[in-house]
Amino acid sequence: MPGRTNIINTPPIKEFPAGMWRIAWFGRIERNIDIPSEPTIEVFIKSVTPNPDVKVIKIGVGQLPLLKIGSHWENGIQSDVVHPYVETIELKNINVNSNTVTKIEAWDKLDSYRYIINPKHIRIPKTAARSDCLAIEYNGDKYGLIIPAAEIARFYYCSSTDLAHAAFWGHYITDLDTIINPQKSGFDKETDKAIIHLRQRFSDLDAWTIARIQQSDIAKIGVNSIHNSLVKNMNTEKAGLFECGLPFTGETRWLAKCIEVGDDDNKRYLIIELLKCSAPFPFTNLQVDRDNNATKANPETDSSAKAKKIYNRTRTDKKPLNAGETKPLNSQSETDKTIEIANILAHAPQFDFLEGKEIIKPEMKEFTKYKSVPNSVKNKKKLTGTGTGKGNQKKGSTNAPAQVNSSKSVGADLQMLIDAVELLKKDSTLKVSMRPIGCIPLSKAQNRAQWAYFDSALKIRRRYIALDIKVDAKHYVWIEIEQRRKGECTVGLLKTDELIADTTLQHILKNLSRLKGIWEGSNGNVVDGSGIMLERVLHTWNSIQKLSSIIRQKTSSV
């Protein structure tokens, strides 16, 4: 069984059985008679036991941003456990075009005897045998990279509940007006700026995805293929299975969690979770306005107070959900629109293009149509759960509406560190490998503000990157921490005569969490009593070459 680490602070999902389960694959989309506003997706899960059991659970598509193949769930709560066969790999020089991309199904074969996805490495359930994937030529192999349609959808088009609903219901085709105001959206060629006027329910971060779709025919085809394929496959053997295309062509670089699924002749990777993408967007800047824009109107052009309609703005619950204090998400009953919407925050997909980008907001609007009155409190009742259905006005439901939204994060320069590792691997005197990216353990109760949270109000956890480096008989671990601002936390460099176990590393990181990011000081040292040596390293590098040079220097002089 994989080594267990801390639990990620996401709300529990009721459909998962008790115990530890791993998401093995995704299957069909189905209408949910209990929640007409939200279809479900089949999730194949496998128990993490000596004699594994496989089950199928059905979860609302609005929760897809939280669901990844390979992720572990303990008693319904997502865990940081990583399967030993999963590797975090930087995939460079990927060329995406009509000649290099092939649609395949999960059980497709190379010939009479060999499967494209070798079942020795991952067992895809028979009922999902015809589920769609894209194969991309890589390293001379036509099927060098394989990515399931569900993962393309999750990463590129469904990073929030509202975006997932829009994609699977086909709103970009049939109801674009429910996503944006088309008359107020467009493109400014002089400034290479996309302009998006959002409908009220969508978040500002959703606008990056929506603008990419609106400004790129390739992205439009990619997202619309989800709904179109569902319609095409109705009343066939593939009913409920869907396709999904990439939103770009050209060269890209992916950081991804992968499983090697080739044979002795070909090193082939199944991408189970995309972490980062370098492909460009079809614009340089993004301006976002919305129906519920709170900016003041120009007094010279504003409507008179008498002409404005009264708008009763209900008080909403801005506090995000977390695993310790919420009712489980479920896909068993419709939500009640009269109850406050709770926000579930998840890390946004990472794109090189978005680093350092800020959304442009209009400074002032021409006029306002409404005037507000004092807030009214929404209906209060005893709740039994939460859900991502769109909801109705029936007061009988005790399911509160919830939305998964993206939270933009900044921090350690992951890409620079990855590139430095590639340089270091060329040095025969070093053996370098990267451990799976993890979350800093909590040092206090989940509902308390603490250093382990990247954002305590939103319950977003800090992540860390750990490199294992071996020089001669000495073992080192280089640990870089996600930061709110530059210089907030130094790098920790550990040295020992033996490889540092995951449990030992987690203990050290918990000490770091307790000491609020200070590796050693008046309140203690994170490695006290462990026999491990520690050195702090200041962030003084500004290039890959400089970083790799410092790592070489530090691992030869500690």
Side-chain angles (χ1 to χ4, degrees), residues 409-430:
S409 65
V410 296
D413 192 334
L414 174 62
Q415 191 55 54
M416 186 179 291
L417 187 59
I418 290 169
D419 290 340
V421 168
E422 291 303 310
L423 273 182
L424 292 169
K425 284 182 176 178
K426 297 175 181 178
D427 187 337
S428 60
T429 64
L430 302 175

PDB file of all heavy atoms in Angstrom, residues 409-430:
ATOM      1  N   SER A 409      -2.869  30.747  -7.679  1.00  0.00           N
ATOM      2  CA  SER A 409      -1.796  30.738  -6.693  1.00  0.00           C
ATOM      3  C   SER A 409      -0.477  31.132  -7.345  1.00  0.00           C
ATOM      4  O   SER A 409      -0.287  30.990  -8.543  1.00  0.00           O
ATOM      5  CB  SER A 409      -1.664  29.353  -6.068  1.00  0.00           C
ATOM      6  OG  SER A 409      -1.266  28.408  -7.027  1.00  0.00           O
ATOM      7  N   VAL A 410       0.417  31.643  -6.518  1.00  0.00           N
ATOM      8  CA  VAL A 410       1.773  31.944  -6.968  1.00  0.00           C
ATOM      9  C   VAL A 410       2.714  31.261  -5.998  1.00  0.00           C
ATOM     10  O   VAL A 410       2.305  30.722  -4.987  1.00  0.00           O
ATOM     11  CB  VAL A 410       2.036  33.474  -6.982  1.00  0.00           C
ATOM     12  CG1 VAL A 410       1.146  34.152  -7.984  1.00  0.00           C
ATOM     13  CG2 VAL A 410       1.815  34.075  -5.592  1.00  0.00           C
ATOM     14  N   GLY A 411       3.991  31.277  -6.284  1.00  0.00           N
ATOM     15  CA  GLY A 411       4.893  30.647  -5.331  1.00  0.00           C
ATOM     16  C   GLY A 411       6.223  30.312  -5.946  1.00  0.00           C
ATOM     17  O   GLY A 411       6.725  31.020  -6.813  1.00  0.00           O
ATOM     18  N   ALA A 412       6.788  29.227  -5.484  1.00  0.00           N
ATOM     19  CA  ALA A 412       8.096  28.823  -5.958  1.00  0.00           C
ATOM     20  C   ALA A 412       8.074  28.634  -7.468  1.00  0.00           C
ATOM     21  O   ALA A 412       7.091  28.217  -8.037  1.00  0.00           O
ATOM     22  CB  ALA A 412       8.505  27.519  -5.283  1.00  0.00           C
ATOM     23  N   ASP A 413       9.192  28.994  -8.115  1.00  0.00           N
ATOM     24  CA  ASP A 413       9.258  28.877  -9.568  1.00  0.00           C
ATOM     25  C   ASP A 413       9.467  27.418  -9.935  1.00  0.00           C
ATOM     26  O   ASP A 413      10.591  26.929 -10.067  1.00  0.00           O
ATOM     27  CB  ASP A 413      10.398  29.739 -10.106  1.00  0.00           C
ATOM     28  CG  ASP A 413      10.315  29.881 -11.617  1.00  0.00           C
ATOM     29  OD1 ASP A 413       9.745  28.982 -12.264  1.00  0.00           O
ATOM     30  OD2 ASP A 413      10.795  30.884 -12.148  1.00  0.00           O
ATOM     31  N   LEU A 414       8.367  26.712 -10.069  1.00  0.00           N
ATOM     32  CA  LEU A 414       8.398  25.280 -10.344  1.00  0.00           C
ATOM     33  C   LEU A 414       9.124  24.977 -11.643  1.00  0.00           C
ATOM     34  O   LEU A 414       9.958  24.079 -11.713  1.00  0.00           O
ATOM     35  CB  LEU A 414       6.968  24.753 -10.386  1.00  0.00           C
ATOM     36  CG  LEU A 414       6.773  23.301 -10.804  1.00  0.00           C
ATOM     37  CD1 LEU A 414       7.468  22.377  -9.826  1.00  0.00           C
ATOM     38  CD2 LEU A 414       5.297  22.974 -10.899  1.00  0.00           C
ATOM     39  N   GLN A 415       8.810  25.740 -12.696  1.00  0.00           N
ATOM     40  CA  GLN A 415       9.389  25.436 -13.994  1.00  0.00           C
ATOM     41  C   GLN A 415      10.898  25.610 -14.003  1.00  0.00           C
ATOM     42  O   GLN A 415      11.629  24.804 -14.593  1.00  0.00           O
ATOM     43  CB  GLN A 415       8.756  26.315 -15.068  1.00  0.00           C
ATOM     44  CG  GLN A 415       9.100  25.873 -16.479  1.00  0.00           C
ATOM     45  CD  GLN A 415       8.744  24.414 -16.712  1.00  0.00           C
ATOM     46  OE1 GLN A 415       7.618  24.005 -16.497  1.00  0.00           O
ATOM     47  NE2 GLN A 415       9.710  23.626 -17.152  1.00  0.00           N
ATOM     48  N   MET A 416      11.389  26.654 -13.319  1.00  0.00           N
ATOM     49  CA  MET A 416      12.833  26.862 -13.264  1.00  0.00           C
ATOM     50  C   MET A 416      13.521  25.698 -12.550  1.00  0.00           C
ATOM     51  O   MET A 416      14.588  25.231 -12.970  1.00  0.00           O
ATOM     52  CB  MET A 416      13.168  28.183 -12.550  1.00  0.00           C
ATOM     53  CG  MET A 416      14.641  28.524 -12.581  1.00  0.00           C
ATOM     54  SD  MET A 416      15.051  30.088 -11.772  1.00  0.00           S
ATOM     55  CE  MET A 416      14.304  31.269 -12.911  1.00  0.00           C
ATOM     56  N   LEU A 417      12.882  25.192 -11.494  1.00  0.00           N
ATOM     57  CA  LEU A 417      13.458  24.077 -10.758  1.00  0.00           C
ATOM     58  C   LEU A 417      13.477  22.813 -11.622  1.00  0.00           C
ATOM     59  O   LEU A 417      14.454  22.063 -11.630  1.00  0.00           O
ATOM     60  CB  LEU A 417      12.673  23.840  -9.475  1.00  0.00           C
ATOM     61  CG  LEU A 417      13.244  22.813  -8.502  1.00  0.00           C
ATOM     62  CD1 LEU A 417      14.647  23.194  -8.058  1.00  0.00           C
ATOM     63  CD2 LEU A 417      12.326  22.646  -7.306  1.00  0.00           C
ATOM     64  N   ILE A 418      12.402  22.586 -12.362  1.00  0.00           N
ATOM     65  CA  ILE A 418      12.327  21.414 -13.243  1.00  0.00           C
ATOM     66  C   ILE A 418      13.407  21.489 -14.320  1.00  0.00           C
ATOM     67  O   ILE A 418      14.091  20.505 -14.614  1.00  0.00           O
ATOM     68  CB  ILE A 418      10.936  21.314 -13.880  1.00  0.00           C
ATOM     69  CG1 ILE A 418       9.901  20.940 -12.820  1.00  0.00           C
ATOM     70  CG2 ILE A 418      10.915  20.284 -15.005  1.00  0.00           C
ATOM     71  CD1 ILE A 418       8.480  21.061 -13.286  1.00  0.00           C
ATOM     72  N   ASP A 419      13.571  22.655 -14.917  1.00  0.00           N
ATOM     73  CA  ASP A 419      14.601  22.824 -15.942  1.00  0.00           C
ATOM     74  C   ASP A 419      16.005  22.635 -15.356  1.00  0.00           C
ATOM     75  O   ASP A 419      16.893  22.093 -16.008  1.00  0.00           O
ATOM     76  CB  ASP A 419      14.478  24.208 -16.585  1.00  0.00           C
ATOM     77  CG  ASP A 419      13.242  24.332 -17.460  1.00  0.00           C
ATOM     78  OD1 ASP A 419      12.703  23.284 -17.865  1.00  0.00           O
ATOM     79  OD2 ASP A 419      12.795  25.466 -17.722  1.00  0.00           O
ATOM     80  N   ALA A 420      16.192  23.101 -14.109  1.00  0.00           N
ATOM     81  CA  ALA A 420      17.491  22.923 -13.458  1.00  0.00           C
ATOM     82  C   ALA A 420      17.778  21.439 -13.226  1.00  0.00           C
ATOM     83  O   ALA A 420      18.919  20.986 -13.367  1.00  0.00           O
ATOM     84  CB  ALA A 420      17.525  23.687 -12.139  1.00  0.00           C
ATOM     85  N   VAL A 421      16.740  20.676 -12.888  1.00  0.00           N
ATOM     86  CA  VAL A 421      16.907  19.232 -12.686  1.00  0.00           C
ATOM     87  C   VAL A 421      17.394  18.570 -13.973  1.00  0.00           C
ATOM     88  O   VAL A 421      18.262  17.691 -13.950  1.00  0.00           O
ATOM     89  CB  VAL A 421      15.585  18.595 -12.211  1.00  0.00           C
ATOM     90  CG1 VAL A 421      15.659  17.070 -12.269  1.00  0.00           C
ATOM     91  CG2 VAL A 421      15.258  19.046 -10.795  1.00  0.00           C
ATOM     92  N   GLU A 422      16.840  18.992 -15.116  1.00  0.00           N
ATOM     93  CA  GLU A 422      17.261  18.424 -16.397  1.00  0.00           C
ATOM     94  C   GLU A 422      18.739  18.693 -16.655  1.00  0.00           C
ATOM     95  O   GLU A 422      19.458  17.841 -17.184  1.00  0.00           O
ATOM     96  CB  GLU A 422      16.409  19.010 -17.532  1.00  0.00           C
ATOM     97  CG  GLU A 422      14.965  18.555 -17.497  1.00  0.00           C
ATOM     98  CD  GLU A 422      14.828  17.042 -17.547  1.00  0.00           C
ATOM     99  OE1 GLU A 422      15.448  16.419 -18.427  1.00  0.00           O
ATOM    100  OE2 GLU A 422      14.122  16.491 -16.687  1.00  0.00           O
ATOM    101  N   LEU A 423      19.213  19.872 -16.267  1.00  0.00           N
ATOM    102  CA  LEU A 423      20.640  20.178 -16.407  1.00  0.00           C
ATOM    103  C   LEU A 423      21.474  19.308 -15.478  1.00  0.00           C
ATOM    104  O   LEU A 423      22.514  18.777 -15.862  1.00  0.00           O
ATOM    105  CB  LEU A 423      20.891  21.655 -16.089  1.00  0.00           C
ATOM    106  CG  LEU A 423      20.743  22.677 -17.213  1.00  0.00           C
ATOM    107  CD1 LEU A 423      21.082  24.072 -16.703  1.00  0.00           C
ATOM    108  CD2 LEU A 423      21.651  22.336 -18.389  1.00  0.00           C
ATOM    109  N   LEU A 424      21.001  19.172 -14.238  1.00  0.00           N
ATOM    110  CA  LEU A 424      21.759  18.407 -13.248  1.00  0.00           C
ATOM    111  C   LEU A 424      21.857  16.931 -13.618  1.00  0.00           C
ATOM    112  O   LEU A 424      22.842  16.264 -13.283  1.00  0.00           O
ATOM    113  CB  LEU A 424      21.108  18.562 -11.872  1.00  0.00           C
ATOM    114  CG  LEU A 424      21.193  19.955 -11.237  1.00  0.00           C
ATOM    115  CD1 LEU A 424      20.296  20.035 -10.016  1.00  0.00           C
ATOM    116  CD2 LEU A 424      22.638  20.295 -10.866  1.00  0.00           C
ATOM    117  N   LYS A 425      20.854  16.413 -14.301  1.00  0.00           N
ATOM    118  CA  LYS A 425      20.870  14.999 -14.690  1.00  0.00           C
ATOM    119  C   LYS A 425      21.993  14.690 -15.685  1.00  0.00           C
ATOM    120  O   LYS A 425      22.378  13.528 -15.860  1.00  0.00           O
ATOM    121  CB  LYS A 425      19.518  14.600 -15.287  1.00  0.00           C
ATOM    122  CG  LYS A 425      18.420  14.420 -14.239  1.00  0.00           C
ATOM    123  CD  LYS A 425      17.109  13.987 -14.866  1.00  0.00           C
ATOM    124  CE  LYS A 425      16.047  13.726 -13.818  1.00  0.00           C
ATOM    125  NZ  LYS A 425      14.746  13.336 -14.415  1.00  0.00           N
ATOM    126  N   LYS A 426      22.499  15.718 -16.345  1.00  0.00           N
ATOM    127  CA  LYS A 426      23.607  15.531 -17.284  1.00  0.00           C
ATOM    128  C   LYS A 426      24.952  15.388 -16.571  1.00  0.00           C
ATOM    129  O   LYS A 426      25.958  15.041 -17.185  1.00  0.00           O
ATOM    130  CB  LYS A 426      23.658  16.698 -18.268  1.00  0.00           C
ATOM    131  CG  LYS A 426      22.414  16.806 -19.134  1.00  0.00           C
ATOM    132  CD  LYS A 426      22.460  18.048 -20.021  1.00  0.00           C
ATOM    133  CE  LYS A 426      21.194  18.170 -20.865  1.00  0.00           C
ATOM    134  NZ  LYS A 426      21.187  19.396 -21.701  1.00  0.00           N
ATOM    135  N   ASP A 427      24.963  15.705 -15.264  1.00  0.00           N
ATOM    136  CA  ASP A 427      26.185  15.604 -14.466  1.00  0.00           C
ATOM    137  C   ASP A 427      26.268  14.181 -13.902  1.00  0.00           C
ATOM    138  O   ASP A 427      25.454  13.774 -13.072  1.00  0.00           O
ATOM    139  CB  ASP A 427      26.138  16.623 -13.318  1.00  0.00           C
ATOM    140  CG  ASP A 427      27.453  16.696 -12.551  1.00  0.00           C
ATOM    141  OD1 ASP A 427      28.218  15.710 -12.585  1.00  0.00           O
ATOM    142  OD2 ASP A 427      27.703  17.722 -11.900  1.00  0.00           O
ATOM    143  N   SER A 428      27.222  13.419 -14.336  1.00  0.00           N
ATOM    144  CA  SER A 428      27.330  12.003 -13.940  1.00  0.00           C
ATOM    145  C   SER A 428      27.681  11.837 -12.467  1.00  0.00           C
ATOM    146  O   SER A 428      27.532  10.737 -11.917  1.00  0.00           O
ATOM    147  CB  SER A 428      28.379  11.306 -14.811  1.00  0.00           C
ATOM    148  OG  SER A 428      29.646  11.930 -14.656  1.00  0.00           O
ATOM    149  N   THR A 429      28.131  12.906 -11.812  1.00  0.00           N
ATOM    150  CA  THR A 429      28.492  12.795 -10.394  1.00  0.00           C
ATOM    151  C   THR A 429      27.264  12.921  -9.484  1.00  0.00           C
ATOM    152  O   THR A 429      27.369  12.681  -8.281  1.00  0.00           O
ATOM    153  CB  THR A 429      29.506  13.878  -9.995  1.00  0.00           C
ATOM    154  OG1 THR A 429      28.911  15.173 -10.126  1.00  0.00           O
ATOM    155  CG2 THR A 429      30.747  13.788 -10.869  1.00  0.00           C
ATOM    156  N   LEU A 430      26.121  13.288 -10.075  1.00  0.00           N
ATOM    157  CA  LEU A 430      24.895  13.480  -9.297  1.00  0.00           C
ATOM    158  C   LEU A 430      23.823  12.504  -9.759  1.00  0.00           C
ATOM    159  O   LEU A 430      23.726  12.181 -10.943  1.00  0.00           O
ATOM    160  CB  LEU A 430      24.350  14.903  -9.470  1.00  0.00           C
ATOM    161  CG  LEU A 430      25.231  16.091  -9.105  1.00  0.00           C
ATOM    162  CD1 LEU A 430      24.521  17.371  -9.489  1.00  0.00           C
ATOM    163  CD2 LEU A 430      25.547  16.089  -7.622  1.00  0.00           C
TER     164      LEU A 430
END
